[in-house]
Amino acid sequence: MRWDALFGDMEAQLAAAAGLAAESEISERVRMELGGIRLQDRLRSQSGRELLFELGAAGAVQGILRHVGEGWVALEQERGAVLAVLSHVVAIRGMDRFAGGPAGHVRLGVASALRSIARDRSPVVIRSAGVAAERALHGTIDRVGSDFLELAVTPSDLPRRSTNVTGVYVLPTATVAAVLSQRNGWN
């Protein structure tokens, strides 16, 4: 019958519209859920992956992601470690498409991470935001305040001793893009 075809066509159109509405709702829910994920949550799901962090003028740092803190990440390299401050990261390469959920426990901030490095007394290279990587400062972090650090600057090939200190710099932590340490000398 003619009406059977008409009603069948109407049912097919209605089913297609319902399918499109369901797809649209699912897509919108996924977008909303993704909108609640922070970069740190996204990075947590990348633990153990080799990532490259572009820091603008401060260069790039690369390594295996080991820790994600509140505003920073720690990377393991073959001959050392890197702390990269997320507020100075321009781009990240090497991540997959998975995202982790929000953190369920307390995350240490940048100042806490810097205090740990200062306690270790290991020689570091500090790359500052907006400053070319080749102008990085070599030395040892002596003290860390709430929004600054004090760096005893030494030649890159000499240990931290009072006779080797060529100056002490006070750096606002907001300008620190990356802190690099090396176990076996500098590249």
Side-chain angles (χ1 to χ4, degrees):
M1 287 208 141
R2 227 175 74 168
W3 285 8
D4 286 337
L6 179 66
F7 293 141
D9 186 48
M10 287 175 54
E11 286 175 353
Q13 288 179 15
L14 189 58
L20 286 174
E23 280 183 33
S24 177
E25 184 177 344
I26 290 169
S27 294
E28 183 60 26
R29 285 185 185 190
V30 167
R31 277 191 291 275
M32 286 176 53
E33 191 172 310
L34 188 59
I37 295 175
R38 296 177 347 153
L39 177 58
Q40 290 167 184
D41 300 330
R42 182 87 167 74
L43 283 165
R44 250 189 304 287
S45 67
Q46 305 301 304
S47 184
R49 290 184 68 89
E50 176 101 15
L51 300 176
L52 180 122
F53 289 79
E54 295 284 348
L55 302 169
V61 292
Q62 184 170 356
I64 298 170
L65 182 64
R66 292 296 181 212
H67 302 282
V68 179
E70 190 63 36
W72 59 274
V73 295
L75 306 172
E76 178 185 330
Q77 296 180 322
E78 184 178 320
R79 296 176 58 199
V82 177
L83 180 139
V85 180
L86 293 177
S87 61
H88 297 295
V89 171
V90 177
I92 304 168
R93 231 180 332 178
M95 293 175 66
D96 62 25
R97 297 195 37 93
F98 298 107
H105 43 76
V106 177
R107 294 282 176 189
L108 298 176
V110 173
S112 295
L114 291 171
R115 282 187 198 97
S116 294
I117 294 169
R119 272 192 303 276
D120 186 44
R121 306 296 292 159
S122 60
V124 297
V125 173
I126 295 185
R127 293 192 193 170
S128 296
V131 178
E134 54 272 2
R135 291 190 44 222
L137 297 172
H138 295 252
T140 303
I141 299 174
D142 281 346
R143 299 190 309 175
V144 179
S146 65
D147 62 351
F148 71 94
L149 65 86
E150 292 181 11
L151 180 74
V153 177
T154 58
S156 61
D157 59 340
L158 295 176
R160 164 58 164 110
R161 295 207 172 77
S162 58
T163 56
N164 296 338
V165 174
T166 61
V168 176
Y169 284 72
V170 176
L171 304 170
T173 52
T175 66
V176 175
V179 178
L180 297 85
S181 72
Q182 292 207 274
R183 294 185 267 276
N184 304 317
W186 304 105
N187 288 337

